[in-house]
Structures are given as structure tokens and as C-alpha cells.
Amino acid sequence: AAGMFLRLLSDVRWRAANPKWRRMTCSQRSTSSTAEPHPVSLPAQAQVVICGGGIMGTSVAYHLSKMGWKDIVLLEQGRLAAGTTRFCAGIVSTARHLSIELKMADYSNKLYQQLEQETGVKTGYVKTGSISLAQTQDRLISLKRIASSLNVMGIPCEIITPKQVAQLHPLINIHDLVGAMYVPEDALVSSANVSLALATAASWNGVQIHERTSVSHVSVHKGHVTGVETDRGQIQCQYFVNCAGQWAYELGHSGEEPVNIPLHACEHFYLLTHPLKEPLAGNLPTIVDPDGRIYIRNWQGGILSGGFEKNPKPLFTEGRNQLEIQNLQEDWDHFEPLLSALLRRMPDLEALQIMQLVNCPESFTPDMRCIMGESPTVRGYFVLAGMNSAGISYGGGAGKYLAEWMVDGYPSENVWPLDLKRFGTLQSSRTFLRHRVMEVMPLMCDLKVPRWDFQTGRQLRTSPLYDRLDAQGARWMEKHGFERVKYFVPPGKDLLDLDQSKTFYKPDWFDIVGSEVKCCKEAVCVIDMSSFTKFEISSTGDQALDSLQYLFSNDLDVPVGHVVHTGMLNEKGGYENDCSIARLSKRSFFMISPTDQQVHCWAWLKNRLPDDSNLTMEDVTWKYTALNLIGPRAVDVLSELSYAPITPEHFPSLFCKEMSVGYANGIRVMSITHTGEPGFMLYIPIEYALHVYNEVMNMGQKYGIRNAGYYALRSLRVEKFFAFWGQDLDAFTTPMECGREFQVKLEKGMQFVGQEALLEQKQNGVYKRFTMFILEDHDTDMDLWPWWGEPIFRNGRYVGKTTSSAYSYTLERHVCLGFVQHFDEKTGEELVVTTDFINQGEYEIDIAGQRFQAKAKLYPFSSLFTHRRRKDEVELSGYQRE
């Protein structure tokens, strides 16, 4: 029986179940397949070549063929679904923290449900439901947050008591449980057979499938895919899709132009048992016990149970060494903690006869999210891999989104959290990946509270001020590999307690951040923001200006020295980037973007800027340290250090000047703080960074200067209703939907990308509006805090989700930012969102199932922020949202 399970993919079973596939794709096959291993020659060319015949490759082929692309070749080095897919536990679960992952899993579930009827291939689909157990109150809160998201998505889900768990699954020991989450529509499948069904449907639609064909090399010419080399010859193609699973990293590096795909394999164990004396019912719910680090499902009257141990074993760090995955060595000592957890949860299994301990590789990524999208360096090279042990749950949805990306230019949902371009080359070190996946795999079960940070692969990219700031009590977080300060622990505080405090409630750093915010508002603070992405774009003539005018929505033909806030939009008017651009000279521009835009923005511009030797773009992120000098006394500090007039008359808002600060020349100073508070950004050549920082801190002492971190920045920007890209803004959000019409110049004398979509929105109205919510009946000390992703209700009806939140120390209230939509109560159709619709509703924010009243605002409470300021300081911060 074990042998049968592990050979679900035997060619005999596949071809017996699929005679049509055999006839269509193997019509030239000789009668003796053993004598003729490759009976069908490869085509000389195709539109798309997909490498990998597991759940991802077959799903991409299926969806591309459904969307009308027929000239597709799928290559598998062994047999279809003979890799990780073959060993997959087959649990389809929609219980996901991330909205895009939840949507992928929900689509997959619906797809698999009808696949057998569509193809005639038995997929083993059984709707069993799943129960996620909570042994602690914090775990229950985490489940309640997921349940809130599932319910508003229309996926049935409920929080249940331990007694209800026992009723649904009588063998479960409930003595240590505080509750659970029940998702009745979760399912089980045979993952290998799902792959075969997808392959069958794809082949009916014209996809050619070739097994036992290895891709050795992807050919590239002028930055675009031109073909693939295989052990059976070359295929010319326009698109290549890397669905090679755990081998995706090696395949990415085998081409003429390396493509970095940061993933690494670990051993993954699960147990198979013989049937119970009274075989388990086929529809018993799957059990997920994250606190015990295990999952349990019915398998042929017995059970299949695996988990994610605390000390995982990385695999294949040295690279590729086998074609098909054979069952790796059993390791009972290693599995023992998971076995103990299983026996605690199901004590009746003590006498059960074990059939086999299966050990198979699973690939994991540096941030526990899968990887999809087009390579930033090679056009036409797409990737779908790194499923973090959730391949069958994501397979259908991920294949659909990647197919949409290829056919339409962008998927139908915001997939930025999964985009390959969220990573840079720095995440492709094998040492980094090996160490990070050893942390990631246990995190699959660990409780994820707000603001948790990875511990491995740290101190990789640091500011020149890192050691100075660290010595002053900086607590660090990481973004795009760059260390950034969260806050500074004052002398005398218990550092250990503060570092280990993880909670869904009021955090221990509350008062520390509050004092940093107070200093920003009343005196002056310094925040090291060196991680910002920084590009310089210049030309010999007007090429730079003309190109940027076309690619950005605001008017960049401004006098030298002016700073412009602008969106870099796509054809639908959505934000691909949100940035500030300073005009350094008539033909030179300095562009400041969010930290995680370094790869994405570079690729976007490179692909759209004209191929002109007189036009240059340089990434200068590493050349400049950025210090944000925030507060009403910033002007005093800077004027004393530069001996230059810094008053609003001489240095108006949104202005850029090259100045001397202390002994250092060539400091780019901008009157902008990204918070709405008065102050300046200093872009300092890195060799001067330490000197300028020391000068600023020494001169600022008499003005009460102190260091601050990004938590203070978040509080300031959220209470000022500033949207940030990657959190609030994305490729599906337009300036018209978030109150940034003033950053769009529709009549600037030339066309720009996204202009037509914005003109249409201006004429017809918008279907969602960025809105600010102030929680009314929320107790900061006692209630759960909002994070992001909380459902928003208007007059009792779901209208959207929050995108950011922070405590406003000025309002002494929590502030959430999010988008409100308007759905017709009868038809569910999207309607235009008007100002009246926003203002006339009664709102609630759902935090883990508990709703809190909220007041909606379309503009910030500017009057509350200016009552302490002098008139000139108000003028200095006169611009609104940036």
C-alpha cells in the first residue's frame, strides 16, 4: 500500500486513465516505449516553454491554454508530478494570513472540485473541512483574525469550542485547548492526480507535454528570452516559465543571464499508518495543531501526520544531485518530537501500526511567501516556485495569476507580496538561504504577532551609522535586507524584556515611541532613512525630462531645485511606484523611492526608458546616507551648521539645495520629511555620513535633539493621512482613489502612462476611496490593537479592509487607513463611492472578531496638529499628503 501511495504517478496509471492524452500527444509513439524513451521529437519552436511537470507547471499550462495560448511546450525532466508534488500531503486549506494567499487557495479549492468532471481523471477530491486548534489565547486571537478575513471573503468559517472539536473529530484530545477554527469547505486531494488532470486538460487544449527532457540552459539575447537548450535539442521560444520547484534556483543560475530565485529545500517528514480497527471515516476533518507543530489527515482508513519541527534539516545546499525525488532516509530520532505531539493529540493511536515514515524535500523562501512573476533582468522569463509546503493549496490560484500576468501583462489581483522583484541579488547567497530556511520552516507554526522580525541573515545591508546608533540603544528591523531602526531604548530600560515582548495588545515600546513622537513635534529628531532607493537619471539633451514626463503623472518640468511628489503609474492608472523627484539641473534628476522598490522600479524604468546612449540611469542608493531631520527646531539646527538662511522665504517647502553641513560639502538638502511635520531630508555622500551625524547631534543638543525610529515615523504619517507604497498604495490603486489628484497633471502638455484611465475616473467617479478611521470606543490599554487587513463595516455591511494603522499620540486614539467600496445591496455590483457615501455612514473596524466604532475622515485633522506651531513652521509643512 505504501508503495502504491508513493507511486501515485506511475506512467501505467497515468496513461490508463488518460487514453485521449496518449492519443493526442503520443500518436507517433512506438509500440515499445522502453526501447524508444523519446518517441516524439521536440518542436523547433514554441511561444512558451514551461519547465517542470508538477502542480505549478501543469497549472500554468492549464490556465494559459484556457486563456487561448496554444503554442505551449511543457518539459519534465522525469515523469509528470514525480517531484515534490508526488509526496504532497494533499491538504487544501484556505486558512491563510495574507489576503492574496487566501484568494489563491480559495480559487484552487473551487478548481479542484470540478476538475474530475472536466477531465475524467479521478483527483481524490473530498470536502472534509479543517479544524485549526488553539492551545493558547494568543493562538486563538490569531485564528480569529484569519476567521474575520475568511468570513468577509464569503468562505464559511467559525470559531468553535473544544467540545465542538470533540464532536467533529472524536479521536482528538481536547483537554489543553482553548478553542479552534473550523473551515467546513477545506478539502483533501491526491495532489499527483490533480497535476495529471491539469495536464490532461492542457493537452486537450493543444499543450505538448514531454517527459524525461531536461532543460540545461535558457538562451537570452538583448535581455529577452530567445530559447531553451535541452538534452534533446533546442526550442526557440518567446517565454520561459521556471516551475522547477526545488531546482528553480539552480535552473535560474544556469542561463546566460542569471535569474535569482531565492529558495532552498528542507527535509519534510510525515507518517503513514495502517487503517484503524474501525477505519477512519473519509470525511473526518483535517486537524492542524500549530502549537503542537503538526497536521493530521485521514489516509485510507488510517492517518497521515506530519509537521514542521524546530530544528529542520536543509537539503541540497551544494546544488542539484538527482532527477526524480526518491524517498529520503527515515530519521525517527528527528521525527520524535512530532510523533510525541501526535500521540498527545490522538492518544488512541498508541496501538496503531505504523506503515512508513516518509521523508521528502520541500522548498522554502526567505519570507515564507511563494515566488511568482517576471525576472527583473530577463524579459519573458517567468517564475512560479517556492511554495513553502503549500503547493497544492496555492497551485490552482498561482497558475491562474501567472497565466494572467503573461497574457494580459498583469494579474487580476495585487500580487506584489509574492513578486520575484521583492528580492534583490543579496538574497541569493546559498549560505543566507540555508540559514534563513532553518528559521523559516519552524516559523510555519510559530505564532506571528505584529511587528515580528527574522533573526537570520541580518546586518547584511547597513548604514554607515549602524554602530553609532546601535550603541545608543537602537532596536532593529529589516526591509529588503537593509537594517532600519524601530525605536531607541533609553538607558536603564530592560533590553531583554523589550526584545522578547510579543503581543497582540499594547506593546512594551508604547511609551518609548510616544516620547520620540513628542520630540518630533516639539523639538527635533533624527531618523536614519538610508535604506530609501535612490536613482539619478540624466541626459545630454532633453531625453531625461521627456522620458520622465511620459512615465510619471506629475509635471516634472519645474525650476531647478524643486521637488515633485509623483506616481509612476501603469496603464490602468495604478501605482507601480510612489516617489519624490528633485530636479538637480536642467538635464539631471534625483529620484527617491521606497526601500523595497530597488529592483522593481529599476526593472520598470529600464524596460520603458528609450535605448539611448545619451540617457543614463544610475542606482546611487549605496552612495548616500539619508538623515531625516524632523521637528520645529530642525531649521535652527541646520541653519547653525550651514551658515545659510533656511527660512521659508529662502528655502520653501518641497525645495532641494546642495549645501555644506559642518565641514562636509555636497549635501543634498530637501525641505520634506515624509511625515507632514516640518524638517529636512539630508542626502549625504557616505564618506561624510558620520561627520554630519555627529555635527547634527552636537549642535542639536541645546534644542533637545534625540534619535528616533520608523515606529515614530509610522505614527506621524498615519495620523497625517499619508499613504505609503507597498502598504496602502499598489498597482491597483490610482491617485484619484486616494485623494492625490493634486499630484496628477492631466494637462501638462504631453501624454503620460495611465492618463486615459485617470481621465475616465475623473469623469465617471471612483469605486473605492482611501479613508482615515479614528477608533472611538477602543481602549488602548485593554483591547486588541489593529494591525492591517482588518475588515471595515459601514452600517453593518462589509465595505473594505484596512491597509495601515498606528496609534496617534496627538489624538490619543488609534488611527486606521483603508479603502472603502460601495456594493449594491441586492446585486453586489460595485458602485461609485462619493464623498457623501463616506461621510454619511456609521463605521466599525473588526479586530479579531470584535467590532469597534470608528469615525471616517477623508482629510486629516490638520487643525489639531498646528496649534502649537509658529506661523513660519506651518508654512514650511504646508503641503498635504505626499
Side-chain angles (χ1 to χ4, degrees):
M4 281 174 60
F5 174 78
L6 295 174
R7 301 284 297 178
L8 276 172
L9 315 198
S10 71
D11 288 328
V12 175
R13 183 169 176 184
W14 158 234
R15 294 188 174 103
N18 299 280
K20 291 182 183 176
W21 183 87
R22 182 182 67 221
R23 285 199 300 273
M24 290 186 65
T25 60
C26 306
S27 56
Q28 301 167 37
R29 183 184 297 276
S30 71
T31 52
S32 170
S33 61
T34 51
E36 183 64 52
H38 300 301
V40 182
S41 60
L42 295 180
Q45 61 186 44
Q47 184 182 11
V48 183
V49 173
I50 300 169
C51 176
I55 185 69
M56 294 302 147
T58 54
S59 179
V60 173
Y62 171 87
H63 286 95
L64 282 174
S65 67
K66 284 277 187 183
M67 294 181 75
W69 284 20
K70 307 296 185 187
D71 188 12
I72 300 167
V73 176
L74 188 151
L75 305 177
E76 165 54 47
Q77 63 178 350
R79 294 162 300 159
L80 279 176
T84 300
T85 300
R86 165 173 148 192
F87 292 95
C88 179
I91 300 168
V92 183
S93 169
T94 51
R96 308 287 163 184
H97 284 278
L98 207 59
S99 175
I100 186 65
E101 292 178 342
L102 192 158
K103 289 175 181 175
M104 287 198 304
D106 184 44
Y107 173 84
S108 298
N109 195 344
K110 292 181 170 72
L111 173 68
Y112 303 158
Q113 193 169 353
Q114 56 85 37
L115 205 52
E116 188 170 325
Q117 185 179 352
E118 180 185 344
T119 64
V121 179
K122 292 191 181 302
T123 58
Y125 183 94
V126 183
K127 192 175 286 187
T128 60
S130 72
I131 304 172
S132 298
L133 309 178
Q135 296 182 28
T136 66
Q137 287 297 334
D138 271 353
R139 177 69 68 184
L140 191 58
I141 290 166
S142 180
L143 294 178
K144 285 178 178 178
R145 288 184 63 90
I146 295 173
S148 292
S149 292
L150 289 172
N151 282 322
V152 297
M153 287 277 295
I155 300 170
C157 170
E158 59 179 315
I159 299 297
I160 60 176
T161 64
K163 282 185 178 177
Q164 288 172 295
V165 172
Q167 290 165 3
L168 289 165
H169 201 307
L171 294 178
I172 295 297
N173 174 14
I174 62 169
H175 79 279
D176 58 348
L177 301 182
V178 296
M181 177 178 71
Y182 178 46
V183 185
E185 294 194 354
D186 280 356
L188 295 177
V189 294
S190 161
S191 49
N193 284 9
V194 168
S195 287
L196 302 183
L198 291 168
T200 299
S203 68
W204 287 347
N205 285 328
V207 175
Q208 296 183 54
I209 298 174
H210 295 267
E211 297 177 309
R212 304 196 184 283
T213 306
S214 295
V215 174
S216 56
H217 179 78
V218 179
S219 304
V220 177
H221 181 64
K222 291 186 176 179
H224 204 294
V225 167
T226 58
V228 296
E229 293 276 358
T230 78
D231 58 353
R232 296 174 55 203
Q234 187 182 44
I235 307 175
Q236 292 183 337
C237 63
Q238 297 167 259
Y239 297 92
F240 177 74
V241 189
N242 184 339
C243 295
Q246 63 182 322
W247 310 124
Y249 176 96
E250 282 76 21
L251 182 57
H253 279 260
S254 69
E256 295 169 6
E257 182 81 41
V259 174
N260 292 305
I261 304 166
L263 53 78
H264 197 293
C266 281
E267 294 182 30
H268 178 59
F269 296 88
Y270 61 78
L271 187 74
L272 297 172
T273 77
H274 287 285
L276 280 72
K277 285 182 182 176
E278 285 188 33
L280 287 178
N283 60 353
L284 266 184
T286 296
I287 299 294
V288 180
D289 183 1
D291 296 310
R293 317 190 73 82
I294 57 170
Y295 56 83
I296 309 162
R297 60 154 285 191
N298 169 59
W299 183 71
Q300 297 185 1
I303 66 156
L304 180 159
S305 178
F308 300 95
E309 63 273 24
K310 289 185 177 180
N311 55 334
K313 298 166 71 173
L315 270 174
F316 310 136
T317 304
E318 294 77 20
R320 180 178 189 151
N321 62 5
Q322 62 185 76
L323 286 181
E324 291 176 13
I325 301 166
Q326 307 304 323
N327 191 15
L328 302 167
Q329 292 295 310
E330 291 185 345
D331 189 338
W332 284 102
D333 290 338
H334 192 77
F335 190 71
E336 193 278 329
L338 301 180
L339 180 59
S340 298
L342 170 63
L343 294 175
R344 279 195 302 274
R345 188 57 57 214
M346 295 180 73
D348 291 354
L349 297 185
E350 287 278 8
L352 196 62
Q353 190 177 356
I354 291 168
M355 180 185 292
Q356 187 175 7
L357 181 63
V358 178
N359 176 5
C360 60
E362 285 274 7
S363 57
F364 295 86
T365 63
D367 59 2
M368 294 188 291
R369 304 200 295 262
C370 74
I371 296 171
M372 71 162 62
E374 190 174 16
S375 160
T377 53
V378 181
R379 300 296 303 274
Y381 191 121
F382 285 82
V383 178
L384 185 58
M387 293 295 135
N388 300 282
S389 202
I392 195 64
S393 290
Y394 297 153
K400 171 180 180 277
Y401 290 143
L402 194 79
E404 290 172 345
W405 204 327
M406 295 172 69
V407 174
D408 300 330
Y410 210 83
S412 56
E413 295 283 348
N414 173 37
V415 296
W416 169 249
L418 314 177
D419 195 329
L420 171 63
K421 292 184 282 293
R422 72 188 188 271
F423 295 118
T425 54
L426 55 103
Q427 282 101 350
S428 65
S429 150
R430 288 307 267 174
T431 307
F432 166 82
L433 289 170
R434 182 181 176 89
H435 291 173
R436 175 56 67 84
V437 297
M438 289 174 73
E439 179 184 11
V440 159
M441 194 169 162
L443 276 170
M444 303 296 291
C445 289
D446 286 354
L447 192 67
K448 296 170 193 68
V449 299
R451 322 287 181 222
W452 59 273
D453 302 292
F454 290 107
Q455 302 304 308
T456 53
R458 298 294 298 272
Q459 298 180 28
L460 195 56
R461 302 173 75 196
T462 60
S463 154
L465 306 178
Y466 180 87
D467 288 339
R468 276 299 308 274
L469 301 179
D470 196 55
Q472 295 177 76
R475 298 341 267 158
W476 300 92
M477 60 182 177
E478 168 256 328
K479 186 154 193 182
H480 203 64
F482 217 115
E483 296 293 329
R484 313 201 304 181
V485 181
K486 295 190 277 192
Y487 50 80
F488 286 82
V489 179
K493 275 272 185 184
D494 188 333
L495 302 189
L496 192 64
D497 279 358
L498 205 58
D499 283 346
Q500 293 179 348
S501 67
K502 295 178 179 178
T503 179
F504 289 102
Y505 292 89
K506 180 180 176 180
D508 289 352
W509 46 256
F510 179 81
D511 292 330
I512 293 172
V513 173
S515 61
E516 291 179 6
V517 168
K518 188 171 188 283
C519 189
C520 287
K521 288 181 170 296
E522 297 178 0
V524 57
C525 277
V526 177
I527 303 179
D528 184 346
M529 299 180 71
S530 302
S531 66
F532 270 166
T533 296
K534 301 173 273 286
F535 296 162
E536 283 181 6
I537 301 161
S538 55
S539 59
T540 54
D542 293 333
Q543 299 95 329
L545 176 63
D546 292 344
S547 299
L548 296 182
Q549 285 283 67
Y550 174 67
L551 292 172
F552 293 88
S553 60
N554 211 336
D555 189 359
L556 294 172
D557 193 5
V558 293
V560 171
H562 282 249
V563 181
V564 176
H565 292 307
T566 181
M568 182 175 83
L569 309 181
N570 54 37
E571 284 72 13
K572 294 179 180 177
Y575 279 98
E576 291 295 333
N577 185 13
D578 178 44
C579 53
S580 306
I581 299 180
R583 191 169 193 178
L584 301 179
S585 71
K586 274 192 170 291
R587 296 167 180 173
S588 178
F589 297 84
F590 185 50
M591 177 178 171
I592 314 297
S593 304
T595 302
D596 48 6
Q597 275 279 4
Q598 190 167 14
V599 177
H600 172 69
C601 181
W602 179 268
W604 181 270
L605 290 174
K606 265 291 183 196
N607 292 334
R608 286 160 180 80
L609 287 172
D611 188 10
D612 186 340
S613 59
N614 295 314
L615 177 66
T616 60
M617 179 170 69
E618 184 186 2
D619 185 344
V620 294
T621 299
W622 64 275
K623 286 187 176 182
Y624 292 94
T625 296
L627 291 183
N628 197 349
L629 207 59
I630 303 178
R633 309 313 297 264
V635 63
D636 301 307
V637 174
L638 197 57
S639 60
E640 289 199 43
L641 281 172
S642 61
Y643 291 99
I646 311 290
T647 59
E649 294 80 45
H650 297 91
F651 209 127
S653 175
L654 294 176
F655 200 68
C656 175
K657 251 184 204 176
E658 206 162 271
M659 300 170 59
S660 299
V661 178
Y663 296 151
N665 286 319
I667 313 299
R668 291 175 183 171
V669 179
M670 299 186 192
S671 49
I672 172 179
T673 65
H674 306 281
T675 61
E677 299 298 327
F680 304 90
M681 285 293 303
L682 278 57
Y683 290 93
I684 309 158
I686 58 169
E687 63 266 34
Y688 301 145
L690 204 54
H691 167 75
V692 172
Y693 174 77
N694 289 338
E695 290 290 298
V696 166
M697 293 305 285
N698 290 336
M699 184 61 72
Q701 278 186 353
K702 61 184 176 185
Y703 299 110
I705 199 167
R706 66 178 289 169
N707 292 298
Y710 272 81
Y711 283 12
L713 186 85
R714 181 191 292 118
S715 175
L716 291 167
R717 73 98 177 167
V718 167
E719 71 181 16
K720 283 296 178 59
F721 202 15
F722 280 17
F724 267 29
W725 191 89
Q727 291 166 265
D728 312 298
L729 307 178
D730 58 41
F732 288 82
T733 307
T734 74
M736 304 302 184
E737 294 164 349
C738 58
R740 292 186 171 202
E741 299 90 335
F742 63 95
Q743 290 182 13
V744 175
K745 297 295 183 287
L746 291 168
E747 312 297 333
K748 65 178 176 178
M750 67 176 295
Q751 280 194 320
F752 61 87
V753 178
Q755 186 176 25
E756 286 183 22
L758 298 185
L759 283 167
E760 192 177 318
Q761 281 195 332
K762 186 177 182 182
Q763 184 175 342
N764 300 334
V766 296
Y767 291 95
K768 62 178 180 180
R769 280 291 289 271
F770 193 51
T771 309
M772 179 181 191
F773 297 95
I774 293 88
L775 296 191
E776 296 283 280
D777 58 345
H778 184 271
D779 187 323
T780 305
D781 294 318
M782 302 301 294
D783 288 327
L784 290 168
W785 275 33
W787 184 3
W788 54 265
E790 290 86 11
I792 302 165
F793 291 87
R794 178 187 181 275
N795 299 345
R797 290 175 59 84
Y798 171 69
V799 290
K801 283 189 174 183
T802 64
T803 52
S804 289
S805 72
Y807 182 80
S808 166
Y809 294 88
T810 310
L811 295 172
E812 297 182 346
R813 288 277 187 280
H814 254 101
V815 177
C816 298
L817 309 181
F819 286 92
V820 170
Q821 293 169 277
H822 185 188
F823 301 102
D824 185 280
E825 292 191 21
K826 292 177 182 174
T827 64
E829 179 191 358
E830 271 192 314
L831 303 174
V832 169
V833 178
T834 62
T835 302
D836 284 346
F837 179 79
I838 299 287
N839 291 335
Q840 291 170 9
E842 297 287 329
Y843 291 89
E844 294 171 304
I845 306 291
D846 180 321
I847 307 175
Q850 186 177 356
R851 294 189 189 181
F852 295 92
Q853 291 178 2
K855 184 175 287 184
K857 304 287 289 183
L858 286 170
Y859 303 96
F861 289 84
S862 53
S863 59
L864 288 171
F865 299 110
T866 54
H867 71 282
R868 295 193 187 116
R869 299 193 190 153
R870 303 193 306 268
K871 183 173 178 290
D872 60 337
E873 288 159 0
V874 175
E875 288 172 5
L876 192 63
S877 64
Y879 62 93
Q880 288 297 303
R881 304 168 298 283
E882 58 181 64

